[in-house]
Amino acid sequence: MEEFIGGLWHRFITRAASRSHPAAAVRLAEMERSAGILFRALGGDPGLRVAPAAEVEHGARRNWLARLAHSGEKAALAARDAETLRLPAEIALFPDRTLNRDLYLWLIAQGAALPAAGLDADSWISANQQASTATLAAFPGFAARYRRLVAAVLAERPDPARLPADEAAAEQAIRQALAEPGSVTRLPAARRPPQPVALWLYPAPVAIDRRNNAADPTPAEQRESGKSADATDRRRQASREDMPDGRNGLILPFRAESLLSFAEYVKVNRSHEEGDDEDPVRAASEMEQVAVAQDSRDTASKVRFDLDLPSAAHDDIPLETGILLPEWDWKKQQLKPDMCRLDVLDPRDAEPCALPPRLIVPARRLRRQLEALTPARRWLKNQPDGQELDLDACVRAFTDRHSGHAASASGGYLSCERRERDLCCLVLADLSLSTDAWVSDEQRVIDVIRDSLWLFSEALGATGDPFGLYGFSSRRREHIRFHRIKDFDDRVDDRIRGRIQAIRPGFYTRMGAAIRHATQILARRPESLRLLLILSDGKPNDVDHYEGRYGIEDTRMSLHAARAQGLRPFCVTIDREGEAYLPHLFGPAGYSVLRKPEELPVHLPRLYARLTAG
């Protein structure tokens, strides 16, 4: 009964103290697609990704009801750094849903107008006002929306007359800066920080450095395999601490139930104990600041696996080794030559096999659909030579001769001509370890890719177009694996089907190097239309620094080089977040996102037919 009454009181006082309007809430997931499009349309950096912002403690004054309910201590502050635009996961500040949506649009416009390096603690107030001024000057259509938002925000902010003198001065300065952007250079000093300004972006929190550290004794692959992903992908404030050695134990000369109050004043090392529950993930999601230390103990949350390279006796057969490729350094804005080392591999112990029975009917149906693309034979008349006589031309020549007219100079033969399609296609499949994930109760991503390659190779046999099948994975820049499945000159037979059956997932996704090598293969083809079709399930990443903006920009530069060679790149992905970064890589019409991965085997041949129909 006591717990029941306590729960009722907690819900009652929390609702009473809340200043949000859940019925009018707008979520970032609803704005995800339009947010990226608007951000790039307003001149924002196209390489930035949009992600949810973390809730942080703002330290501003709260009313007595909020203090009683222990609510309102944290707020999700919009922020921007060199790689990410962070927006609140949900906006329910106003009772009008249209205003909440307009607030999202204004924050996106602010992020596009802010400097590329982000904000710092000293100049973020003036930078926000300059961004507001620039946005209103460049896009006058935002003026009416901005005035409505300012009026609604001021109505929600505390009354300066009820604040202490120092806080009232800061609040008056904020109100003036919102009404007249550019009129305030800095806020007056106050004991407490002011209430967060919903129309401004704040300096981004320091991100946890997840890159591989040479001083870290824990293998990077095990760290990658044992991590538990935060479902919201929110950025945390972080600080680095020295790992306690555990030699000096904490003596507790008091009752155990007082440990909680004592821990508020003493740093207590809480090691991670493995278990089946999700308490560590939930605890981390509630932390405002995360302390990170190097630990030599190996832990894993769910799955244990080893990403070490297999021995030569069990690895795939190397065909070419030591192929050196460049890589684009986004931070230095230069192409570094010979940065990556690529090996071309052939599947080991790939036994020839027939097409699986479950794919025979879909393959036959796709072949019939693609037969329309097959070039048809055509008879050309009045040719000087050919396989048969042109009877119409012979009759005309005989008639002209007997009527006294000069005979036609054209030929009297029929020639059969077959007009070939002057195109080829290279399919580059992502075979990284992420493709081992399950998309349904019966299929993994790698199974979907395998079925897609089977059906694609069977369907293209009806068109006669030359094509090649390749796969790639990587483990750092010195070991990039490029798997040969089918060369352009190979026939589709049981041997090729056996190679498709032998593909297996492993390692990481250094996409830029794989695209550069595929470009070299396609550049040697004589066809006029050369299509580079990429199958992927996520962003480019590797165990070293190749992640985030670095991997995106390197892949983008490799695609620029492919287009300069006359290639046409196109990406098919099952990554639901792909629309946030794929337009930056492939352009608005250069990619396709599949919401249902199991449709990829049938979708891929049809997509090829659409891309090459002209």
Side-chain angles (χ1 to χ4, degrees):
M1 178 61 71
E2 185 175 334
E3 294 182 359
F4 177 72
I5 297 300
L8 291 178
W9 166 253
H10 174 73
R11 288 192 294 271
F12 168 75
I13 195 65
T14 301
R15 283 196 299 265
S18 176
R19 300 177 60 185
S20 63
H21 305 273
V26 177
R27 294 170 178 81
L28 181 59
E30 306 172 17
M31 303 285 297
E32 183 178 5
R33 183 179 180 88
S34 58
I37 296 175
L38 178 63
F39 183 76
R40 290 184 286 270
L42 296 178
D45 187 346
L48 262 67
R49 67 187 185 98
V50 180
E55 290 189 349
V56 296
E57 188 173 346
H58 52 75
R61 182 179 296 275
R62 296 176 296 151
N63 57 34
W64 67 270
L65 198 57
R67 296 196 300 271
L68 180 64
H70 294 281
S71 63
E73 299 176 348
K74 296 182 178 182
L77 304 179
R80 177 193 158 171
D81 55 23
E83 297 188 14
T84 311
L85 173 63
R86 301 272 171 177
L87 299 176
E90 179 183 276
I91 294 182
L93 182 61
F94 310 116
D96 186 357
R97 179 179 171 85
T98 303
L99 281 176
N100 292 324
R101 186 178 183 277
D102 287 347
L103 181 54
Y104 264 128
L105 299 179
W106 176 255
L107 291 175
I108 293 168
Q110 281 282 95
L114 285 173
L119 301 172
D120 55 65
D122 297 328
S123 61
W124 69 276
I125 295 176
S126 59
N128 270 286
Q129 297 178 72
Q130 293 173 6
S132 300
T133 304
T135 301
L136 294 175
F139 307 102
F142 271 102
R145 179 178 284 110
Y146 179 73
R147 288 193 296 269
R148 290 195 303 269
L149 286 172
V150 169
V153 166
L154 294 182
E156 296 288 335
R157 297 191 62 80
D159 185 1
R162 299 187 177 184
L163 296 175
D166 54 347
E167 298 179 30
E171 180 63 27
Q172 289 287 5
I174 290 175
R175 289 172 174 263
Q176 180 180 348
L178 290 175
E180 302 175 7
S183 60
V184 177
T185 56
R186 58 184 305 173
L187 297 182
R191 286 187 306 169
R192 287 177 175 269
Q195 283 286 340
V197 183
L199 293 173
W200 289 351
L201 271 69
Y202 284 72
V206 180
I208 299 176
D209 188 4
R210 297 178 297 157
R211 294 178 297 179
N212 185 34
N213 191 336
D216 186 1
T218 306
E221 297 87 357
Q222 294 182 12
R223 292 198 307 272
E224 187 73 16
S225 65
K227 70 181 181 179
S228 296
D230 186 353
T232 61
D233 190 26
R234 294 178 179 175
R235 177 159 294 188
R236 310 294 178 195
Q237 291 183 349
S239 63
R240 290 200 173 275
E241 303 285 349
D242 294 331
M243 190 67 190
D245 55 11
R247 296 173 184 173
N248 300 323
L250 180 63
I251 301 177
L252 304 178
F254 53 85
R255 293 179 301 172
E257 54 266 25
S258 63
L259 176 62
L260 180 61
S261 60
F262 190 70
E264 295 176 359
Y265 302 96
V266 178
K267 289 185 177 180
V268 179
N269 173 36
R270 178 184 177 185
S271 61
H272 172 65
E273 300 294 340
E274 298 188 33
D276 295 332
D277 55 36
E278 295 294 335
D279 288 340
V281 177
R282 186 169 61 251
S285 66
E286 297 175 356
M287 291 181 180
E288 178 184 348
Q289 184 170 357
V290 181
V292 182
Q294 302 286 358
D295 190 2
S296 59
R297 295 179 57 189
D298 298 339
T299 62
S301 298
K302 289 292 184 184
V303 183
R304 295 179 179 87
F305 50 81
D306 189 5
L307 294 188
D308 287 339
L309 295 174
S311 63
H314 295 86
D315 199 3
D316 292 334
I317 302 172
L319 300 177
E320 297 180 62
T321 59
I323 301 174
L324 298 179
L325 296 167
E327 187 168 276
W328 175 258
D329 191 327
W330 164 65
K331 293 185 177 180
K332 295 183 179 180
Q333 292 292 299
Q334 66 179 16
L335 187 66
K336 294 185 175 181
D338 301 340
M339 280 292 291
C340 299
R341 182 179 181 273
L342 182 140
D343 299 333
V344 180
L345 304 172
D346 215 15
R348 183 180 295 273
D349 301 329
E351 297 292 337
C353 67
L355 187 68
R358 57 187 171 79
L359 297 179
I360 292 178
V361 174
R364 188 181 299 121
R365 183 169 58 251
L366 288 173
R367 284 181 66 91
R368 287 198 300 267
Q369 293 175 356
L370 266 66
E371 282 177 353
L373 302 178
T374 306
R377 289 179 174 270
R378 185 174 71 165
W379 288 99
L380 301 179
K381 297 183 177 182
N382 298 330
Q383 301 300 308
D385 53 26
Q387 293 88 348
E388 297 181 11
L389 285 173
D390 186 353
L391 296 181
D392 293 339
C394 293
V395 169
R396 281 196 302 271
F398 179 82
T399 305
D400 290 341
R401 229 177 3 253
H402 283 72
S403 61
H405 295 85
S408 175
S410 60
Y413 294 91
L414 292 174
S415 177
C416 185
E417 181 187 64
R418 178 185 176 91
R419 294 188 177 271
E420 300 291 342
R421 283 156 51 93
D422 192 18
L423 57 89
C424 65
C425 177
L426 187 149
V427 179
L428 185 61
D430 177 7
L431 303 181
S432 62
L433 192 63
S434 60
T435 60
D436 199 30
W438 293 87
V439 297
S440 64
D441 295 338
E442 300 178 355
Q443 276 190 320
R444 300 171 299 166
V445 176
I446 190 65
D447 300 326
V448 174
I449 293 177
R450 189 180 292 116
D451 291 352
S452 302
L453 297 181
W454 268 326
L455 288 180
F456 187 80
S457 58
E458 297 294 327
L460 257 66
T463 65
D465 299 336
F467 68 97
L469 305 178
Y470 301 88
F472 73 97
S473 60
S474 65
R475 184 181 182 270
R476 296 190 175 96
R477 63 182 179 88
E478 65 271 8
H479 189 86
I480 300 168
R481 304 164 65 87
F482 196 85
H483 301 266
R484 185 193 71 166
I485 302 173
K486 177 193 175 298
D487 281 331
F488 283 91
D489 298 330
D490 293 336
R491 290 180 58 253
V492 179
D493 51 17
D494 288 349
R495 181 174 57 93
I496 299 301
R497 298 184 188 102
R499 288 182 181 178
I500 297 175
Q501 177 65 43
I503 63 174
R504 55 185 181 271
F507 311 106
Y508 302 91
T509 315
R510 210 176 196 95
M511 190 178 292
I515 291 176
R516 289 186 176 94
H517 187 65
T519 299
Q520 294 177 359
I521 296 175
L522 274 176
R524 296 192 290 265
R525 298 295 304 176
E527 290 80 8
S528 60
L529 174 59
R530 292 164 290 180
L531 180 63
L532 175 58
L533 200 55
I534 302 169
L535 307 182
S536 178
D537 70 330
K539 289 183 179 180
N541 77 294
D542 207 335
V543 70
D544 50 11
H545 58 272
Y546 198 87
E547 62 178 357
R549 186 73 183 273
Y550 189 100
I552 291 290
E553 293 298 331
D554 176 64
T555 303
R556 182 169 179 261
M557 294 304 296
S558 68
L559 292 169
H560 283 333
R563 295 187 185 97
Q565 293 283 344
L567 276 59
R568 182 182 179 184
F570 193 92
C571 179
V572 181
T573 183
I574 61 174
D575 183 11
R576 296 183 178 180
E577 299 180 356
E579 292 176 347
Y581 62 90
L582 287 176
H584 181 55
L585 296 179
F586 294 91
Y591 69 95
S592 176
V593 179
L594 294 184
R595 301 298 179 182
K596 297 180 179 180
E598 59 273 12
E599 296 179 355
L600 178 61
V602 178
H603 176 79
L604 188 61
R606 294 174 179 172
L607 174 66
Y608 174 82
R610 189 173 76 246
L611 292 175
T612 61

